[in-house]
């Protein structure tokens, strides 16, 4: 049998369960995320430890990316649970993608409990050179 020695930790856990902070199907919990730009793409990483890859759902609608995942308990329904601290249920996160991103070319990879999305910058948003004609020789300026 597992014993716990911190009574305040148990109080925190009970409070989270009472208010639904661990995630339920009616009120999704938030998943931690990192996002950064690397060259001509944005990289977004979500922490989803213990989530089966087939329970992850990615949708893009009107430039809104929705990531939804579900973690089910590993134990049988009749099991006598001694400690249950790991959040379970539905996890959800929405990202608003700007018009400068190519939402049709998002690549997703799931490895070691981390979901990594790569969102390329749209071609029309990349800097380009425009040639100027007239006045003798052609010149270029950055636009």
């Amino acid at each position: 049998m597992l014993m716990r020695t911190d009574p305040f930790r148990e109080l925190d856990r009970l409070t989270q369960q009472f208010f639904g902070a661990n995630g339920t199907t009616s009120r999704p919990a938030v998943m931690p995320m990192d996002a950064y730009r690397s060259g001509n793409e944005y990289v977004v990483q979500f922490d989803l430890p213990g989530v089966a890859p087939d329970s992850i759902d990615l949708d893009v609608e009107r430039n809104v990316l929705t990531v939804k995942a579900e973690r089910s308990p590993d134990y049988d329904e009749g099991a006598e649970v001694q400690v249950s601290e790991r959040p379970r249920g539905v996890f959800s996160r929405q990202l608003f993608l700007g018009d400068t991103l190519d939402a049709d070319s998002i690549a997703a990879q799931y490895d070691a409990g981390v979901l990594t999305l790569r969102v390329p910058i749209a071609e029309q948003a990349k800097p380009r050179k425009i040639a100027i004609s007239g006045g003798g020789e052609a010149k270029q300026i950055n636009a």
Side-chain angles (χ1 to χ4, degrees):
M1 182 167 140
L2 298 174
M3 299 294 291
R4 298 183 42 141
T5 58
D6 185 359
F8 296 108
R9 191 171 178 183
E10 181 66 17
L11 180 62
D12 288 343
R13 185 188 65 79
L14 291 173
T15 302
Q16 286 177 345
Q17 283 183 342
F18 179 74
F19 291 112
N22 279 345
T24 63
T25 56
S26 63
R27 183 174 160 197
V30 175
M31 61 190 83
M33 171 187 86
D34 287 338
Y36 57 92
R37 182 175 176 166
S38 177
N40 286 326
E41 67 182 2
Y42 279 90
V43 179
V44 185
Q45 296 177 313
F46 298 94
D47 282 349
L48 295 171
V51 172
D54 59 347
S55 75
I56 300 172
D57 187 31
L58 299 172
D59 289 320
V60 177
E61 183 178 344
R62 295 185 183 171
N63 285 359
V64 176
L65 170 69
T66 303
V67 180
K68 204 180 262 190
E70 184 173 359
R71 181 186 303 138
S72 302
D74 295 338
Y75 44 83
D76 296 330
E77 190 173 313
E80 186 177 324
V81 179
Q82 301 297 315
V83 178
S84 179
E85 295 179 343
R86 297 170 54 211
R88 288 172 178 73
V90 177
F91 301 87
S92 181
R93 192 80 185 245
Q94 286 189 324
L95 299 175
F96 295 95
L97 305 176
D99 292 334
T100 60
L101 299 178
D102 187 0
D104 294 330
S105 300
I106 297 174
Q109 178 184 5
Y110 184 66
D111 185 37
V114 178
L115 174 64
T116 302
L117 304 178
R118 297 186 179 279
V119 185
I121 295 174
E123 286 298 320
Q124 68 266 19
K126 293 180 183 175
R128 62 190 188 282
K129 296 204 181 249
I130 299 173
I132 300 174
S133 60
E137 66 182 72
K139 295 184 180 181
Q140 290 186 351
I141 61 171
N142 290 330

